[in-house]
């Protein structure tokens, strides 16, 4: 790898960590740090969720592809789950599309400057409760989605995610019993 | 008791190492929750194996944390374990990376690698912070930020020193993690606290 290059090296994947970069420059941590800083300054690379050492190659103003976005977020936050209207739209329950991808994480989040995504912090144990009560359903690029009923209950409990108006939801596919069970689970947190 | 334990940790020269171990155990616990819930990457047949690997790694991190957190006080069992690990760990050859565990039939990291990765993860976390700070410092210089940068650079250097010490004592790490992990398991079975081993004393 040419350390003096101004372009992010094409041998690195679109999403990479500081460890990946150090592997490209073995034995020279300072060079890896300097290179990462130069790429960050140029705007071609962004830190997914500063200060976490996970990066995504991105032109300035460019919105990353959804698959890359999901991969970047998964690498920064192992507990990532798609919630709210984003989960409902992707399961065909909502007739209204989300403007940004709403995701929940159990780890502390300082900020996430990536376009097209909004992160919401959940308490420790949230994912355990959700999974124990069968609140996960399907994946979006390997990121689990909340089930429709759990997405409704979670939105009602934490009130920080976007959900479409009642008129834009397909209520025939939602089970009232499962919503009650999901609400009970959310209230136990 | 807990606050005394935490105070002891914060005043210890090993504080950074202990924080790194706590941080890594927390991160692995998150992965553990994800895999146990079935929400992890969908590799067939790997889920239960990964859950077992993670559980094993977490308990070894807790074991080494326990050992370091009482190193200042040196209780009798610590001195005995230190001496025994010096004898039995002397000729052990610990290698970085995964190796196949004969009985469980799964890939496991050596204790040295588990602890080393905790230090590396903390170093990279600090370096991520350094990059964030340096970027902000270039656009809006601030002396407080420069001081913070200096502290982070010192922390990275000290962690690199911990890594060097660890590599020299890889055999000892293996013996200590093996012994204390078993004690922690028994404590767990008996319903005794095993979440915060740094406050457990002799």
């Amino acid at each position: 790898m040419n350390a003096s290059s101004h372009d992010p090296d094409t041998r690195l994947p679109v999403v990479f960590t500081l460890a990946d970069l150090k592997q490209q420059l073995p034995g020279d941590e300072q060079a890896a740090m300097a290179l990462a800083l130069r790429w960050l300054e140029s705007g071609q690379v962004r830190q997914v969720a500063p200060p976490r050492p996970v990066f995504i190659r991105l032109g300035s103003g460019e919105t990353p592809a959804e698959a890359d976005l999901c991969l970047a977020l998964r690498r920064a936050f192992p507990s990532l789950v798609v919630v709210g209207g984003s989960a409902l739209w992707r399961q065909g329950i909502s007739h209204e599309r989300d403007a940004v991808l709403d995701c929940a994480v159990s780890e502390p989040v300082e900020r996430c400057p990536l376009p097209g995504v909004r992160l919401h912090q959940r308490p420790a144990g949230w994912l355990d409760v959700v999974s124990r009560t069968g609140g996960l359903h399907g994946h979006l690029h390997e990121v689990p989605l909340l089930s429709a009923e759990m997405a409704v209950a979670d939105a009602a409990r934490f009130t920080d995610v976007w959900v479409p108006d009642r008129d834009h939801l397909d209520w025939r596919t939602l089970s009232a019993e499962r919503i009650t069970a999901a609400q009970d689970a959310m209230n136990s947190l | 008791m807990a606050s005394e334990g935490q105070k002891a940790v914060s005043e210890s020269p090993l504080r950074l190492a202990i924080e790194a171990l706590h941080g890594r155990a927390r991160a692995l616990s998150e992965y553990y929750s994800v895999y146990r819930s079935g929400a992890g990457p969908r590799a067939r047949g790997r889920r239960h194996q990964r859950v077992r690997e993670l559980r094993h790694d977490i308990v070894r991190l807790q074991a080494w944390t326990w050992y370091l957190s009482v190193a200042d006080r040196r209780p009798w069992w610590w001195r005995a374990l230190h001496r025994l690990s010096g004898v039995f760990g002397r000729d052990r050859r610990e290698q970085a990376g995964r190796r196949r565990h004969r009985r469980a039939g799964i890939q496991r990291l050596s204790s040295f690698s588990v602890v080393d990765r905790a230090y590396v993860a903390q170093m990279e976390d600090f370096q991520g912070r350094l990059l964030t700070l340096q970027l902000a410092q270039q656009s809006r210089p601030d002396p407080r930020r420069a001081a913070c940068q200096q502290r982070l650079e010192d922390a990275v250097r000290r962690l690199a020193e911990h890594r060097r010490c660890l590599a020299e004592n890889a055999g000892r790490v293996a013996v200590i993690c093996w012994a204390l992990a078993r004690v922690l398991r028994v404590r767990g079975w008996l319903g005794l606290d095993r979440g915060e081993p740094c406050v457990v004393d002799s």
Side-chain angles (χ1 to χ4, degrees), chain A residues 18-19 22 29 33 37 41 47 51 53 78 110 127-128 131 139 142, chain B residues 30-31 34 36-37 39 41-42 124 127-129 131-132 134-135 138:
Chain A
L18 198 53
K22 284 180 190 173
E29 285 211 354
M33 289 285 285
L37 186 63
E41 281 166 358
Q47 238 171 319
E110 287 182 26
L127 185 59
D128 252 355
S131 64
H139 289 80
E142 305 243 342
Chain B
E30 289 290 348
Y31 278 110
V34 171
R36 206 177 46 173
S37 70
R42 290 169 297 170
E124 283 173 1
Q127 286 171 330
R129 282 177 196 281
L131 287 172
T132 310
Q134 284 170 348
L135 209 58
Q138 283 174 359

PDB file of all heavy atoms in Angstrom, chain A residues 18-19 22 29 33 37 41 47 51 53 78 110 127-128 131 139 142, chain B residues 30-31 34 36-37 39 41-42 124 127-129 131-132 134-135 138:
ATOM      1  N   LEU A  18      -9.761   0.659  12.006  1.00  0.00           N
ATOM      2  CA  LEU A  18      -8.375   1.090  12.168  1.00  0.00           C
ATOM      3  C   LEU A  18      -7.450  -0.129  12.133  1.00  0.00           C
ATOM      4  O   LEU A  18      -6.338  -0.056  11.598  1.00  0.00           O
ATOM      5  CB  LEU A  18      -8.246   1.828  13.502  1.00  0.00           C
ATOM      6  CG  LEU A  18      -7.025   2.716  13.707  1.00  0.00           C
ATOM      7  CD1 LEU A  18      -6.862   3.722  12.582  1.00  0.00           C
ATOM      8  CD2 LEU A  18      -7.105   3.433  15.045  1.00  0.00           C
ATOM      9  N   ALA A  19      -7.939  -1.257  12.655  1.00  0.00           N
ATOM     10  CA  ALA A  19      -7.135  -2.492  12.652  1.00  0.00           C
ATOM     11  C   ALA A  19      -6.859  -2.929  11.208  1.00  0.00           C
ATOM     12  O   ALA A  19      -5.744  -3.359  10.893  1.00  0.00           O
ATOM     13  CB  ALA A  19      -7.861  -3.590  13.413  1.00  0.00           C
ATOM     14  N   LYS A  22      -4.175  -0.719   9.853  1.00  0.00           N
ATOM     15  CA  LYS A  22      -2.861  -1.038  10.431  1.00  0.00           C
ATOM     16  C   LYS A  22      -2.278  -2.285   9.775  1.00  0.00           C
ATOM     17  O   LYS A  22      -1.067  -2.396   9.624  1.00  0.00           O
ATOM     18  CB  LYS A  22      -2.985  -1.261  11.940  1.00  0.00           C
ATOM     19  CG  LYS A  22      -3.133   0.024  12.733  1.00  0.00           C
ATOM     20  CD  LYS A  22      -3.241  -0.342  14.188  1.00  0.00           C
ATOM     21  CE  LYS A  22      -3.635   0.832  15.041  1.00  0.00           C
ATOM     22  NZ  LYS A  22      -3.902   0.414  16.421  1.00  0.00           N
ATOM     23  N   GLU A  29       2.220   2.139  13.148  1.00  0.00           N
ATOM     24  CA  GLU A  29       0.932   2.645  13.637  1.00  0.00           C
ATOM     25  C   GLU A  29       0.761   4.121  13.329  1.00  0.00           C
ATOM     26  O   GLU A  29      -0.329   4.566  12.994  1.00  0.00           O
ATOM     27  CB  GLU A  29       0.846   2.451  15.155  1.00  0.00           C
ATOM     28  CG  GLU A  29       0.595   1.035  15.547  1.00  0.00           C
ATOM     29  CD  GLU A  29      -0.211   0.913  16.831  1.00  0.00           C
ATOM     30  OE1 GLU A  29      -0.489   1.924  17.474  1.00  0.00           O
ATOM     31  OE2 GLU A  29      -0.546  -0.227  17.173  1.00  0.00           O
ATOM     32  N   MET A  33      -2.306   6.027  11.411  1.00  0.00           N
ATOM     33  CA  MET A  33      -3.084   7.129  12.004  1.00  0.00           C
ATOM     34  C   MET A  33      -3.040   8.360  11.110  1.00  0.00           C
ATOM     35  O   MET A  33      -4.054   9.031  10.890  1.00  0.00           O
ATOM     36  CB  MET A  33      -2.519   7.476  13.392  1.00  0.00           C
ATOM     37  CG  MET A  33      -2.784   6.451  14.449  1.00  0.00           C
ATOM     38  SD  MET A  33      -4.477   6.476  15.002  1.00  0.00           S
ATOM     39  CE  MET A  33      -4.487   7.945  16.019  1.00  0.00           C
ATOM     40  N   LEU A  37      -6.171  10.122   9.241  1.00  0.00           N
ATOM     41  CA  LEU A  37      -6.483  11.542   9.467  1.00  0.00           C
ATOM     42  C   LEU A  37      -6.569  12.293   8.142  1.00  0.00           C
ATOM     43  O   LEU A  37      -7.465  13.118   7.939  1.00  0.00           O
ATOM     44  CB  LEU A  37      -5.421  12.164  10.388  1.00  0.00           C
ATOM     45  CG  LEU A  37      -5.691  13.598  10.823  1.00  0.00           C
ATOM     46  CD1 LEU A  37      -6.965  13.689  11.654  1.00  0.00           C
ATOM     47  CD2 LEU A  37      -4.524  14.159  11.629  1.00  0.00           C
ATOM     48  N   GLU A  41      -9.796  14.220   6.741  1.00  0.00           N
ATOM     49  CA  GLU A  41      -9.747  15.647   6.391  1.00  0.00           C
ATOM     50  C   GLU A  41     -10.279  15.889   4.979  1.00  0.00           C
ATOM     51  O   GLU A  41     -10.972  16.866   4.717  1.00  0.00           O
ATOM     52  CB  GLU A  41      -8.299  16.152   6.449  1.00  0.00           C
ATOM     53  CG  GLU A  41      -7.803  16.434   7.841  1.00  0.00           C
ATOM     54  CD  GLU A  41      -6.285  16.598   7.864  1.00  0.00           C
ATOM     55  OE1 GLU A  41      -5.629  16.451   6.803  1.00  0.00           O
ATOM     56  OE2 GLU A  41      -5.782  16.843   8.951  1.00  0.00           O
ATOM     57  N   GLN A  47     -15.799   8.721   9.815  1.00  0.00           N
ATOM     58  CA  GLN A  47     -15.898   7.836  10.980  1.00  0.00           C
ATOM     59  C   GLN A  47     -17.387   7.535  11.149  1.00  0.00           C
ATOM     60  O   GLN A  47     -18.204   8.469  11.177  1.00  0.00           O
ATOM     61  CB  GLN A  47     -15.364   8.558  12.220  1.00  0.00           C
ATOM     62  CG  GLN A  47     -14.225   7.830  12.885  1.00  0.00           C
ATOM     63  CD  GLN A  47     -13.559   8.649  13.970  1.00  0.00           C
ATOM     64  OE1 GLN A  47     -13.351   9.844  13.810  1.00  0.00           O
ATOM     65  NE2 GLN A  47     -13.221   7.995  15.064  1.00  0.00           N
ATOM     66  N   PRO A  51     -16.363   8.397  18.641  1.00  0.00           N
ATOM     67  CA  PRO A  51     -14.982   8.113  18.283  1.00  0.00           C
ATOM     68  C   PRO A  51     -14.711   6.660  17.905  1.00  0.00           C
ATOM     69  O   PRO A  51     -13.547   6.266  17.881  1.00  0.00           O
ATOM     70  CB  PRO A  51     -14.266   8.468  19.579  1.00  0.00           C
ATOM     71  CG  PRO A  51     -15.227   8.082  20.646  1.00  0.00           C
ATOM     72  CD  PRO A  51     -16.591   8.310  20.095  1.00  0.00           C
ATOM     73  N   PRO A  53     -13.554   3.434  16.118  1.00  0.00           N
ATOM     74  CA  PRO A  53     -12.582   3.376  15.001  1.00  0.00           C
ATOM     75  C   PRO A  53     -13.080   2.551  13.814  1.00  0.00           C
ATOM     76  O   PRO A  53     -12.420   1.641  13.360  1.00  0.00           O
ATOM     77  CB  PRO A  53     -11.344   2.761  15.651  1.00  0.00           C
ATOM     78  CG  PRO A  53     -11.880   1.929  16.767  1.00  0.00           C
ATOM     79  CD  PRO A  53     -13.167   2.553  17.225  1.00  0.00           C
ATOM     80  N   PRO A  78     -22.666  -3.876  17.566  1.00  0.00           N
ATOM     81  CA  PRO A  78     -23.147  -5.259  17.377  1.00  0.00           C
ATOM     82  C   PRO A  78     -24.627  -5.441  17.704  1.00  0.00           C
ATOM     83  O   PRO A  78     -25.263  -6.346  17.188  1.00  0.00           O
ATOM     84  CB  PRO A  78     -22.268  -6.068  18.330  1.00  0.00           C
ATOM     85  CG  PRO A  78     -21.625  -5.100  19.236  1.00  0.00           C
ATOM     86  CD  PRO A  78     -21.569  -3.799  18.525  1.00  0.00           C
ATOM     87  N   GLU A 110     -22.451   8.480  20.898  1.00  0.00           N
ATOM     88  CA  GLU A 110     -22.170   9.910  21.017  1.00  0.00           C
ATOM     89  C   GLU A 110     -22.792  10.641  19.847  1.00  0.00           C
ATOM     90  O   GLU A 110     -23.534  11.590  20.002  1.00  0.00           O
ATOM     91  CB  GLU A 110     -20.667  10.164  21.133  1.00  0.00           C
ATOM     92  CG  GLU A 110     -20.166   9.739  22.513  1.00  0.00           C
ATOM     93  CD  GLU A 110     -18.698   9.985  22.751  1.00  0.00           C
ATOM     94  OE1 GLU A 110     -18.112  10.882  22.116  1.00  0.00           O
ATOM     95  OE2 GLU A 110     -18.124   9.247  23.589  1.00  0.00           O
ATOM     96  N   LEU A 127     -32.341  -5.758  24.031  1.00  0.00           N
ATOM     97  CA  LEU A 127     -32.300  -6.775  22.977  1.00  0.00           C
ATOM     98  C   LEU A 127     -32.674  -8.152  23.525  1.00  0.00           C
ATOM     99  O   LEU A 127     -33.361  -8.928  22.867  1.00  0.00           O
ATOM    100  CB  LEU A 127     -30.913  -6.810  22.334  1.00  0.00           C
ATOM    101  CG  LEU A 127     -30.750  -7.741  21.145  1.00  0.00           C
ATOM    102  CD1 LEU A 127     -31.707  -7.384  20.019  1.00  0.00           C
ATOM    103  CD2 LEU A 127     -29.317  -7.708  20.629  1.00  0.00           C
ATOM    104  N   ASP A 128     -32.250  -8.418  24.762  1.00  0.00           N
ATOM    105  CA  ASP A 128     -32.583  -9.703  25.401  1.00  0.00           C
ATOM    106  C   ASP A 128     -34.093  -9.846  25.549  1.00  0.00           C
ATOM    107  O   ASP A 128     -34.663 -10.884  25.225  1.00  0.00           O
ATOM    108  CB  ASP A 128     -31.936  -9.756  26.797  1.00  0.00           C
ATOM    109  CG  ASP A 128     -30.767 -10.719  26.834  1.00  0.00           C
ATOM    110  OD1 ASP A 128     -30.535 -11.385  25.814  1.00  0.00           O
ATOM    111  OD2 ASP A 128     -30.104 -10.793  27.880  1.00  0.00           O
ATOM    112  N   SER A 131     -35.758 -10.250  22.092  1.00  0.00           N
ATOM    113  CA  SER A 131     -35.586 -11.563  21.458  1.00  0.00           C
ATOM    114  C   SER A 131     -36.321 -12.661  22.231  1.00  0.00           C
ATOM    115  O   SER A 131     -36.854 -13.585  21.639  1.00  0.00           O
ATOM    116  CB  SER A 131     -34.104 -11.887  21.316  1.00  0.00           C
ATOM    117  OG  SER A 131     -33.525 -11.996  22.572  1.00  0.00           O
ATOM    118  N   HIS A 139     -34.404  -9.830   8.342  1.00  0.00           N
ATOM    119  CA  HIS A 139     -33.156  -9.058   8.342  1.00  0.00           C
ATOM    120  C   HIS A 139     -33.138  -8.074   7.192  1.00  0.00           C
ATOM    121  O   HIS A 139     -33.764  -8.307   6.159  1.00  0.00           O
ATOM    122  CB  HIS A 139     -31.944  -9.995   8.170  1.00  0.00           C
ATOM    123  CG  HIS A 139     -31.660 -10.833   9.364  1.00  0.00           C
ATOM    124  ND1 HIS A 139     -32.365 -11.977   9.646  1.00  0.00           N
ATOM    125  CD2 HIS A 139     -30.740 -10.695  10.360  1.00  0.00           C
ATOM    126  CE1 HIS A 139     -31.887 -12.509  10.756  1.00  0.00           C
ATOM    127  NE2 HIS A 139     -30.904 -11.758  11.211  1.00  0.00           N
ATOM    128  N   GLU A 142     -28.470  -8.306   6.831  1.00  0.00           N
ATOM    129  CA  GLU A 142     -27.960  -8.959   8.051  1.00  0.00           C
ATOM    130  C   GLU A 142     -28.259  -8.188   9.332  1.00  0.00           C
ATOM    131  O   GLU A 142     -27.851  -8.606  10.413  1.00  0.00           O
ATOM    132  CB  GLU A 142     -26.446  -9.232   7.960  1.00  0.00           C
ATOM    133  CG  GLU A 142     -26.063 -10.040   6.746  1.00  0.00           C
ATOM    134  CD  GLU A 142     -25.451 -11.382   7.070  1.00  0.00           C
ATOM    135  OE1 GLU A 142     -25.009 -11.580   8.196  1.00  0.00           O
ATOM    136  OE2 GLU A 142     -25.435 -12.238   6.168  1.00  0.00           O
TER     137      GLU A 142
ATOM    138  N   GLU B  30     -22.226  -7.820  24.735  1.00  0.00           N
ATOM    139  CA  GLU B  30     -23.200  -7.347  23.732  1.00  0.00           C
ATOM    140  C   GLU B  30     -23.299  -8.369  22.599  1.00  0.00           C
ATOM    141  O   GLU B  30     -24.389  -8.732  22.177  1.00  0.00           O
ATOM    142  CB  GLU B  30     -22.781  -5.992  23.140  1.00  0.00           C
ATOM    143  CG  GLU B  30     -22.899  -4.828  24.098  1.00  0.00           C
ATOM    144  CD  GLU B  30     -24.342  -4.462  24.410  1.00  0.00           C
ATOM    145  OE1 GLU B  30     -25.240  -4.968  23.717  1.00  0.00           O
ATOM    146  OE2 GLU B  30     -24.556  -3.710  25.366  1.00  0.00           O
ATOM    147  N   TYR B  31     -22.141  -8.823  22.113  1.00  0.00           N
ATOM    148  CA  TYR B  31     -22.139  -9.836  21.048  1.00  0.00           C
ATOM    149  C   TYR B  31     -22.839 -11.103  21.538  1.00  0.00           C
ATOM    150  O   TYR B  31     -23.581 -11.739  20.801  1.00  0.00           O
ATOM    151  CB  TYR B  31     -20.708 -10.177  20.617  1.00  0.00           C
ATOM    152  CG  TYR B  31     -20.113  -9.195  19.644  1.00  0.00           C
ATOM    153  CD1 TYR B  31     -19.087  -8.350  20.013  1.00  0.00           C
ATOM    154  CD2 TYR B  31     -20.587  -9.120  18.338  1.00  0.00           C
ATOM    155  CE1 TYR B  31     -18.538  -7.446  19.109  1.00  0.00           C
ATOM    156  CE2 TYR B  31     -20.046  -8.221  17.436  1.00  0.00           C
ATOM    157  CZ  TYR B  31     -19.019  -7.389  17.830  1.00  0.00           C
ATOM    158  OH  TYR B  31     -18.494  -6.495  16.937  1.00  0.00           O
ATOM    159  N   VAL B  34     -26.456 -10.704  21.336  1.00  0.00           N
ATOM    160  CA  VAL B  34     -26.892 -10.716  19.940  1.00  0.00           C
ATOM    161  C   VAL B  34     -26.945 -12.154  19.420  1.00  0.00           C
ATOM    162  O   VAL B  34     -27.941 -12.581  18.841  1.00  0.00           O
ATOM    163  CB  VAL B  34     -25.946  -9.856  19.073  1.00  0.00           C
ATOM    164  CG1 VAL B  34     -26.250 -10.033  17.593  1.00  0.00           C
ATOM    165  CG2 VAL B  34     -26.055  -8.393  19.466  1.00  0.00           C
ATOM    166  N   ARG B  36     -26.990 -14.975  21.201  1.00  0.00           N
ATOM    167  CA  ARG B  36     -27.933 -15.804  21.950  1.00  0.00           C
ATOM    168  C   ARG B  36     -29.366 -15.556  21.490  1.00  0.00           C
ATOM    169  O   ARG B  36     -30.194 -16.440  21.488  1.00  0.00           O
ATOM    170  CB  ARG B  36     -27.787 -15.511  23.444  1.00  0.00           C
ATOM    171  CG  ARG B  36     -28.212 -16.684  24.308  1.00  0.00           C
ATOM    172  CD  ARG B  36     -28.001 -16.415  25.751  1.00  0.00           C
ATOM    173  NE  ARG B  36     -28.482 -15.079  26.120  1.00  0.00           N
ATOM    174  CZ  ARG B  36     -28.534 -14.637  27.357  1.00  0.00           C
ATOM    175  NH1 ARG B  36     -28.121 -15.378  28.334  1.00  0.00           N
ATOM    176  NH2 ARG B  36     -28.985 -13.436  27.638  1.00  0.00           N
ATOM    177  N   SER B  37     -29.627 -14.288  21.094  1.00  0.00           N
ATOM    178  CA  SER B  37     -30.986 -13.954  20.641  1.00  0.00           C
ATOM    179  C   SER B  37     -31.244 -14.469  19.230  1.00  0.00           C
ATOM    180  O   SER B  37     -32.359 -14.398  18.745  1.00  0.00           O
ATOM    181  CB  SER B  37     -31.176 -12.440  20.681  1.00  0.00           C
ATOM    182  OG  SER B  37     -30.404 -11.845  19.665  1.00  0.00           O
ATOM    183  N   ALA B  39     -29.942 -13.114  16.637  1.00  0.00           N
ATOM    184  CA  ALA B  39     -29.949 -11.965  15.732  1.00  0.00           C
ATOM    185  C   ALA B  39     -28.596 -11.743  15.072  1.00  0.00           C
ATOM    186  O   ALA B  39     -28.449 -10.821  14.286  1.00  0.00           O
ATOM    187  CB  ALA B  39     -30.341 -10.709  16.499  1.00  0.00           C
ATOM    188  N   PRO B  41     -25.086 -12.626  12.679  1.00  0.00           N
ATOM    189  CA  PRO B  41     -24.957 -13.036  11.286  1.00  0.00           C
ATOM    190  C   PRO B  41     -25.410 -14.487  11.120  1.00  0.00           C
ATOM    191  O   PRO B  41     -25.098 -15.339  11.950  1.00  0.00           O
ATOM    192  CB  PRO B  41     -23.463 -12.872  11.017  1.00  0.00           C
ATOM    193  CG  PRO B  41     -23.016 -11.852  11.998  1.00  0.00           C
ATOM    194  CD  PRO B  41     -23.866 -12.056  13.211  1.00  0.00           C
ATOM    195  N   ARG B  42     -26.143 -14.748  10.022  1.00  0.00           N
ATOM    196  CA  ARG B  42     -26.817 -16.047   9.906  1.00  0.00           C
ATOM    197  C   ARG B  42     -25.945 -17.131   9.290  1.00  0.00           C
ATOM    198  O   ARG B  42     -26.193 -17.590   8.196  1.00  0.00           O
ATOM    199  CB  ARG B  42     -28.084 -15.871   9.072  1.00  0.00           C
ATOM    200  CG  ARG B  42     -29.151 -15.095   9.802  1.00  0.00           C
ATOM    201  CD  ARG B  42     -30.263 -14.726   8.870  1.00  0.00           C
ATOM    202  NE  ARG B  42     -29.794 -13.842   7.810  1.00  0.00           N
ATOM    203  CZ  ARG B  42     -30.506 -13.522   6.752  1.00  0.00           C
ATOM    204  NH1 ARG B  42     -31.684 -14.042   6.579  1.00  0.00           N
ATOM    205  NH2 ARG B  42     -30.021 -12.684   5.850  1.00  0.00           N
ATOM    206  N   GLU B 124      -7.268   1.025  20.159  1.00  0.00           N
ATOM    207  CA  GLU B 124      -7.914   1.523  18.945  1.00  0.00           C
ATOM    208  C   GLU B 124      -9.067   2.462  19.266  1.00  0.00           C
ATOM    209  O   GLU B 124      -9.331   3.400  18.519  1.00  0.00           O
ATOM    210  CB  GLU B 124      -8.347   0.350  18.062  1.00  0.00           C
ATOM    211  CG  GLU B 124      -7.128  -0.202  17.350  1.00  0.00           C
ATOM    212  CD  GLU B 124      -7.367  -1.458  16.564  1.00  0.00           C
ATOM    213  OE1 GLU B 124      -8.512  -1.933  16.524  1.00  0.00           O
ATOM    214  OE2 GLU B 124      -6.383  -1.974  16.004  1.00  0.00           O
ATOM    215  N   GLN B 127      -7.362   5.621  19.909  1.00  0.00           N
ATOM    216  CA  GLN B 127      -6.859   6.193  18.649  1.00  0.00           C
ATOM    217  C   GLN B 127      -8.009   6.764  17.811  1.00  0.00           C
ATOM    218  O   GLN B 127      -7.839   7.775  17.152  1.00  0.00           O
ATOM    219  CB  GLN B 127      -6.080   5.131  17.876  1.00  0.00           C
ATOM    220  CG  GLN B 127      -4.714   4.881  18.522  1.00  0.00           C
ATOM    221  CD  GLN B 127      -3.973   3.688  17.956  1.00  0.00           C
ATOM    222  OE1 GLN B 127      -4.585   2.717  17.506  1.00  0.00           O
ATOM    223  NE2 GLN B 127      -2.652   3.739  17.992  1.00  0.00           N
ATOM    224  N   GLY B 128      -9.191   6.111  17.893  1.00  0.00           N
ATOM    225  CA  GLY B 128     -10.379   6.665  17.233  1.00  0.00           C
ATOM    226  C   GLY B 128     -10.726   8.028  17.820  1.00  0.00           C
ATOM    227  O   GLY B 128     -11.043   8.975  17.108  1.00  0.00           O
ATOM    228  N   ARG B 129     -10.631   8.124  19.165  1.00  0.00           N
ATOM    229  CA  ARG B 129     -10.881   9.403  19.837  1.00  0.00           C
ATOM    230  C   ARG B 129      -9.850  10.440  19.417  1.00  0.00           C
ATOM    231  O   ARG B 129     -10.175  11.613  19.201  1.00  0.00           O
ATOM    232  CB  ARG B 129     -10.800   9.236  21.361  1.00  0.00           C
ATOM    233  CG  ARG B 129     -12.021   8.632  21.947  1.00  0.00           C
ATOM    234  CD  ARG B 129     -11.915   8.402  23.443  1.00  0.00           C
ATOM    235  NE  ARG B 129     -12.967   7.497  23.838  1.00  0.00           N
ATOM    236  CZ  ARG B 129     -14.236   7.865  24.011  1.00  0.00           C
ATOM    237  NH1 ARG B 129     -14.582   9.123  23.895  1.00  0.00           N
ATOM    238  NH2 ARG B 129     -15.157   6.974  24.333  1.00  0.00           N
ATOM    239  N   LEU B 131      -8.252  10.626  16.594  1.00  0.00           N
ATOM    240  CA  LEU B 131      -8.559  11.100  15.241  1.00  0.00           C
ATOM    241  C   LEU B 131      -9.689  12.130  15.274  1.00  0.00           C
ATOM    242  O   LEU B 131      -9.618  13.165  14.615  1.00  0.00           O
ATOM    243  CB  LEU B 131      -8.953   9.916  14.342  1.00  0.00           C
ATOM    244  CG  LEU B 131      -7.810   8.991  13.924  1.00  0.00           C
ATOM    245  CD1 LEU B 131      -8.355   7.761  13.204  1.00  0.00           C
ATOM    246  CD2 LEU B 131      -6.824   9.714  13.000  1.00  0.00           C
ATOM    247  N   THR B 132     -10.722  11.842  16.079  1.00  0.00           N
ATOM    248  CA  THR B 132     -11.850  12.774  16.203  1.00  0.00           C
ATOM    249  C   THR B 132     -11.360  14.112  16.748  1.00  0.00           C
ATOM    250  O   THR B 132     -11.731  15.179  16.241  1.00  0.00           O
ATOM    251  CB  THR B 132     -12.921  12.177  17.150  1.00  0.00           C
ATOM    252  OG1 THR B 132     -13.205  10.853  16.724  1.00  0.00           O
ATOM    253  CG2 THR B 132     -14.197  12.985  17.134  1.00  0.00           C
ATOM    254  N   GLN B 134      -8.201  15.314  16.743  1.00  0.00           N
ATOM    255  CA  GLN B 134      -7.265  15.983  15.821  1.00  0.00           C
ATOM    256  C   GLN B 134      -8.023  16.692  14.702  1.00  0.00           C
ATOM    257  O   GLN B 134      -7.662  17.796  14.304  1.00  0.00           O
ATOM    258  CB  GLN B 134      -6.289  14.963  15.233  1.00  0.00           C
ATOM    259  CG  GLN B 134      -5.205  14.561  16.224  1.00  0.00           C
ATOM    260  CD  GLN B 134      -4.387  13.372  15.748  1.00  0.00           C
ATOM    261  OE1 GLN B 134      -4.744  12.699  14.788  1.00  0.00           O
ATOM    262  NE2 GLN B 134      -3.308  13.085  16.445  1.00  0.00           N
ATOM    263  N   LEU B 135      -9.083  16.053  14.246  1.00  0.00           N
ATOM    264  CA  LEU B 135      -9.888  16.643  13.178  1.00  0.00           C
ATOM    265  C   LEU B 135     -10.544  17.939  13.666  1.00  0.00           C
ATOM    266  O   LEU B 135     -10.526  18.963  12.974  1.00  0.00           O
ATOM    267  CB  LEU B 135     -10.963  15.631  12.761  1.00  0.00           C
ATOM    268  CG  LEU B 135     -11.446  15.679  11.329  1.00  0.00           C
ATOM    269  CD1 LEU B 135     -10.309  15.488  10.348  1.00  0.00           C
ATOM    270  CD2 LEU B 135     -12.509  14.597  11.107  1.00  0.00           C
ATOM    271  N   GLN B 138      -7.984  20.809  14.207  1.00  0.00           N
ATOM    272  CA  GLN B 138      -7.508  21.504  13.008  1.00  0.00           C
ATOM    273  C   GLN B 138      -8.489  22.587  12.565  1.00  0.00           C
ATOM    274  O   GLN B 138      -8.085  23.631  12.075  1.00  0.00           O
ATOM    275  CB  GLN B 138      -7.275  20.499  11.885  1.00  0.00           C
ATOM    276  CG  GLN B 138      -5.984  19.737  12.095  1.00  0.00           C
ATOM    277  CD  GLN B 138      -5.767  18.635  11.095  1.00  0.00           C
ATOM    278  OE1 GLN B 138      -6.591  18.405  10.228  1.00  0.00           O
ATOM    279  NE2 GLN B 138      -4.663  17.938  11.225  1.00  0.00           N
TER     280      GLN B 138
END
